[in-house]
């Protein structure tokens, strides 16, 4: 009982000392942001340290327009200031923005994908329209924190020891990893990891094909099979058309591209 009275008394003293009172409660008095700290030290400290735009663009009283006991709506809805964007139509803002006084301190828990797409539509489309095992992963199973970029090797083995993440990405666009494409710099021993026979045959061959890389002939897209005459230099018109009419398959005389007879 004594303790309670004591608290009430000090409160009263403080209110008077503050030379103001809580706007919504006491008529004739007004309170400014610098008064709040007299009774609430935690929130001003949080805002000072991590308030970001809630520190620079708004003050306490912009959000807390009322104060208990008279003011019943002491806590503002985010929608008072944030509306008209798909992101602001999400439910339960506080599940991620856990503290309004540190709005960019994010907690992203559980399997989260749809909310990410309110800002990253493109990646959502890529993943959905190109089904792969990654389509079944939630965005935050890889991006475990906002803006964190994972390394493929957190979850996968390399095909060859000397591959790095840039190499993985050069063949597998991560949000659609089965749309495999590669550039002309791709070294042949990358392919050899899965196509040992073709690699060995070509390396043991003694014709000019030996000096060509796999991707020189198998251009750009995985599983593409070139025709011999698609290689304009030097094969454009290797033989008289009369002869080629009679023997339409180059392989009849030359064997296979990896193991030329001639
Ligand atoms: C004289 C001390 C005092 C001052 C100054 C003061 N408050 Fe409070 N405030 C309190 C007390 C005590 C409570 C708890 C009241 C309750 O729970 O009924 C409280 C509660 C609150 C709450 C919580 C309301 C809720 O529903 O949970 C908010 C928000 C708040 N104050 C904001 C402010 C802001 C903003 C300022 C500055 C403009 C401020 N206060 C200044 C004493 C003060
Ligand atoms: C951008 C709006 C915004 C600003 C600015 C803001 N608050 Fe808050 N405040 C909230 C919200 C929303 C809550 C409800 C709890 C939460 O989400 O963190 C809250 C809760 C509180 C509480 C209740 C206790 C608690 O932490 O839950 C107090 C006290 C408080 N704020 C004081 C302040 C003071 C003092 C300032 C200025 C230094 C301030 N707030 C600035 C939005 C704001
Ligand atoms: C009184 C108005 C007001 C309220 C209420 C309010 N905000 Fe804000 N908030 C702002 C303003 C103004 C900015 C800066 C401009 C902008 O980014 O829209 C901002 C910026 C932010 C930012 C970006 C911060 C930065 O530094 O880039 C986040 C995140 C945010 N608000 C979340 C919230 C959440 C979550 C709530 C509800 C708990 C909330 N806001 C309530 C006014 C408000
Ligand atoms: C699933 C988690 C999640 C939820 C739920 C969520 N946000 Fe966000 N919010 C984020 C992330 C992530 C960012 C980006 C932060 C960054 O850029 O660092 C963000 C950024 C913001 C920003 C600043 C960028 C901008 O768009 O202006 C505001 C304001 C904001 N959120 C308000 C809200 C409001 C209001 C709600 C509820 C209607 C909400 N958020 C719900 C995760 C969430
Ligand atoms: C409110 C909007 C918003 C939401 C919601 C949001 N982000 Fe972002 N995100 C951003 C912004 C802004 C950037 C910075 C873009 C830039 O630098 O070009 C970003 C950047 C990123 C980056 C790239 C970092 C880099 O280095 O390029 C990743 C990855 C990312 N977000 C993943 C996510 C994931 C996963 C989610 C859902 C959990 C999410 N984001 C939710 C706004 C958002
Ligand atoms: C299998 C892991 C994985 C999953 C699942 C994943 N990402 Fe990514 N994401 C990455 C990697 C790795 C990068 C870096 C790509 C690069 O550098 O080319 C990235 C890059 C990004 C970027 C930066 C811009 C860009 O496209 O390079 C954004 C934004 C992003 N991801 C959002 C998302 C969203 C949204 C989802 C869910 C729909 C998602 N990611 C799912 C691994 C993943
Ligand atoms: C957080 C873990 C994780 C990360 C990081 C990750 N993946 Fe995956 N990925 C998986 C899982 C799980 C599967 C399905 C099971 C499997 O094949 O191992 C998968 C499957 C794949 C597949 C086969 C797709 C299919 O549908 O058969 C490819 C290709 C692939 N990942 C490439 C990559 C590349 C390239 C990166 C880096 C840019 C990467 N992954 C990063 C988890 C991950
Ligand atoms: C030269 C292009 C190339 C590079 C570089 C490459 N991959 Fe692949 N990857 C492929 C091809 C082609 C497949 C087989 C696709 C199929 O089965 O149709 C594949 C398949 C996969 C698979 C599916 C499972 C399997 O082993 O068949 C995973 C996972 C994978 N790659 C991860 C990676 C990772 C991680 C890296 C980087 C260390 C990487 N890849 C680098 C071309 C490449
Ligand atoms: C991770 C293993 C892997 C890697 C790396 C890989 N491939 Fe493949 N490749 C496969 C698989 C699996 C098939 C499908 C085999 C089948 O259908 O019999 C295939 C098929 C092919 C085919 C078509 C075969 C046919 O009969 O139609 C060509 C051409 C090919 N790959 C070329 C390449 C080239 C060039 C590279 C290097 C840039 C490469 N591959 C890298 C696994 C791989
Ligand atoms: C001079 C062009 C050329 C080069 C270089 C080349 N290929 Fe081929 N490859 C072909 C042609 C043409 C075919 C179709 C079958 C044939 O006529 O030999 C083929 C067929 C294939 C096939 C499917 C049939 C089989 O033999 O399994 C695979 C897989 C393949 N190549 C992989 C590779 C790899 C891996 C390399 C690099 C080590 C490579 N190729 C280098 C032209 C080439
Ligand atoms: C009837 C057998 C036969 C057929 C079919 C054939 N070639 Fe030839 N080709 C030869 C002979 C024999 C030579 C060697 C001529 C020489 O050494 O002077 C040769 C030489 C070549 C050369 C020149 C080699 C060099 O070292 O300069 C090229 C290129 C070539 N052929 C491409 C092709 C292509 C492409 C096809 C299919 C469109 C084809 N050939 C079909 C028999 C054939």
């Amino acid at each position: 009982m004594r303790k309670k009275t004591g608290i009430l008394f000090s409160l009263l003293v403080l209110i008077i000392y503050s030379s103001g009172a809580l706007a919504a409660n006491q008529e004739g008095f007004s309170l400014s942001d610098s008064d709040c700290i007299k009774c609430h030290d935690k929130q001003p400290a949080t805002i000072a340290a991590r308030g970001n735009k809630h520190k620079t663009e708004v003050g306490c009283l912009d959000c807390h327009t009322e104060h208990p006991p008279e003011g019943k709506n002491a806590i503002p809805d985010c929608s008072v200031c944030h509306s008209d964007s798909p992101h602001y139509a999400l439910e339960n803002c506080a599940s991620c923005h856990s503290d309004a006084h540190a709005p960019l301190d994010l907690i992203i828990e559980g399997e989260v994908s749809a909310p990410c797409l309110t800002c990253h539509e493109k990646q959502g489309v890529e993943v959905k329209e190109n089904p792969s095992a990654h389509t079944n992963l939630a965005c935050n199973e890889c991006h475990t924190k906002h803006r964190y970029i994972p390394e493929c090797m957190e979850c996968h083995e390399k095909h060859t020891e000397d591959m790095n993440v840039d190499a993985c990405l050069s063949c597998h666009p991560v949000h659609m990893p089965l749309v495999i494409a590669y550039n002309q710099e791709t070294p042949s021993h990358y392919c050899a990891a899965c196509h040992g026979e073709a690699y060995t045959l070509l390396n043991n061959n003694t014709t000019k094909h030996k000096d060509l890389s796999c991707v020189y002939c198998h251009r750009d897209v995985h599983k593409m099979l070139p025709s011999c005459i698609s290689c304009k230099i030097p094969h454009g018109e290797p033989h008289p058309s009369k002869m080629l009419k009679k023997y339409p398959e180059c392989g009849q005389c030359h064997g296979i591209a990896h193991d030329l007879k001639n």
Side-chain angles (χ1 to χ4, degrees):
M1 194 62 198
R2 273 190 82 127
K3 212 175 160 198
K4 239 184 185 169
T5 325
I7 291 170
L8 279 178
F9 181 71
S10 6
L11 248 179
L12 197 69
V13 169
L14 248 176
I15 290 169
I16 294 162
Y17 186 77
S18 312
S19 74
L22 306 164
N25 309 357
Q26 272 88 3
E27 247 180 68
F29 293 98
S30 69
L31 205 62
S32 72
D33 281 8
S34 57
D35 294 319
C36 316
I37 198 170
K38 290 166 185 161
C39 302
H40 304 290
D41 54 353
K42 190 171 148 261
Q43 296 78 8
T46 306
I47 289 203
R50 309 195 304 281
N52 291 290
K53 287 185 178 157
H54 280 180
K55 172 185 172 184
T56 53
E57 310 295 314
V58 283
C60 315
L61 286 164
D62 290 319
C63 286
H64 300 292
T65 53
E66 298 182 8
H67 197 281
E70 303 262 302
K72 302 294 179 215
N73 298 314
I75 304 296
D77 274 341
C78 310
S79 62
V80 172
C81 304
H82 299 293
S83 55
D84 298 332
S85 125
H87 186 65
Y88 306 145
L90 291 174
E91 283 179 1
N92 198 359
C93 314
S95 68
C96 295
H97 302 281
S98 58
D99 185 345
H101 308 111
L104 291 179
D105 283 14
L106 291 166
I107 297 178
I108 296 175
E109 279 174 343
E111 292 186 0
V112 179
S113 291
C116 311
L117 309 188
T118 59
C119 297
H120 301 296
E121 206 185 338
K122 179 171 153 266
Q123 287 75 13
V125 170
E126 285 174 353
V127 158
K128 192 163 161 250
E129 290 186 351
N130 302 280
S132 78
H134 285 183
T135 308
N136 304 325
L137 299 177
C139 307
N140 68 332
E141 282 182 73
C142 285
H143 302 290
T144 49
K145 273 197 269 176
H146 191 228
R147 294 178 205 233
Y148 171 73
I149 301 280
E151 288 220 343
C152 314
M153 279 70 88
E154 289 174 24
C155 304
H156 296 297
E157 300 284 328
K158 304 174 179 188
H159 303 309
T160 69
E161 211 27 67
D162 64 336
M163 282 182 184
N164 59 19
V165 176
D166 287 340
C168 311
L169 289 167
S170 74
C171 286
H172 300 284
V174 66
H175 302 124
M176 36 185 189
L178 294 182
V179 181
I180 298 170
Y182 30 71
N183 59 41
Q184 281 297 308
E185 275 74 62
T186 309
S188 295
H189 72 274
Y190 284 3
C191 316
C194 303
H195 299 294
E197 194 191 333
Y199 186 78
T200 308
L201 279 178
L202 191 64
N203 266 310
N204 292 337
N205 194 260
T206 51
T207 67
K208 291 175 184 163
H209 277 187
K210 177 189 164 72
D211 302 325
L212 302 176
S213 66
C214 311
V215 295
Y216 180 83
C217 293
H218 300 284
R219 276 173 195 266
D220 304 336
V221 194
H222 190 228
K223 298 191 184 175
M224 172 275 197
L225 286 177
S227 69
C228 304
I229 47 166
S230 70
C231 188
K232 292 276 184 264
I233 315 158
H235 306 330
E237 291 287 338
H239 300 297
S241 52
K242 226 176 164 182
M243 172 189 143
L244 291 178
K245 226 173 208 157
K246 204 166 172 196
Y247 303 98
E249 298 290 327
C250 314
Q252 283 173 281
C253 300
H254 290 292
I256 60 169
H258 303 159
D259 193 20
L260 283 185
K261 301 291 178 237
N262 259 298

